[in-house]
Amino acid sequence: MKKLRANMDRYFDKLDHRWRELPLRKQHKYTLYFFVGYLLLTVAVIGKVMYDTSKSGNDMVIEHIENPVLKKNESPARLQDTLSTILKNQIYERK
């Protein structure tokens, strides 16, 4: 883990060194491009959210949550029997 951390530190130091070697005008240009890309992505996501929420028929249905175990028509005694059978089969190595 220490080796991975050291490699990552070295890699980021190289990147930082390369960034500092760039002329200041180029640094500003790259920063501006990244900001514009981020801004376009943000506008696209906000537009998609507004489009999806403005559609008609987007109603949220809230219903009672039912337990899937109780949904089955099995009695709890049968479930306990099944569990004990499985455990006995594992203990005595039956199939």
Side-chain angles (χ1 to χ4, degrees), residues 49-60:
V49 168
M50 288 176 61
Y51 173 75
D52 287 344
T53 56
S54 68
K55 283 173 138 180
S56 63
N58 272 348
D59 297 332
M60 183 180 285

Side-chain angles (χ1 to χ4, degrees), residues 3-4 10 16 20 26-28 30 33 46-47 50 56-57 66 73 81 84 88 90-92 95:
K3 186 177 180 181
L4 176 67
R10 236 178 297 135
D16 187 47
R20 290 178 191 270
K26 217 166 202 170
Q27 285 181 4
H28 285 285
Y30 283 139
Y33 288 152
I46 291 173
M50 288 176 61
S56 63
E66 295 181 17
N73 292 331
D81 290 343
S84 63
K88 284 180 184 176
Q90 287 178 353
I91 291 170
Y92 298 113
K95 290 185 180 180

Side-chain angles (χ1 to χ4, degrees), residues 49-85:
V49 168
M50 288 176 61
Y51 173 75
D52 287 344
T53 56
S54 68
K55 283 173 138 180
S56 63
N58 272 348
D59 297 332
M60 183 180 285
V61 179
I62 301 175
E63 297 177 353
H64 180 72
I65 299 172
E66 295 181 17
N67 189 348
V69 174
L70 297 178
K71 207 183 263 189
K72 297 178 183 178
N73 292 331
E74 296 181 14
S75 66
R78 178 167 165 77
L79 292 174
Q80 287 176 349
D81 290 343
T82 306
L83 181 60
S84 63
T85 304

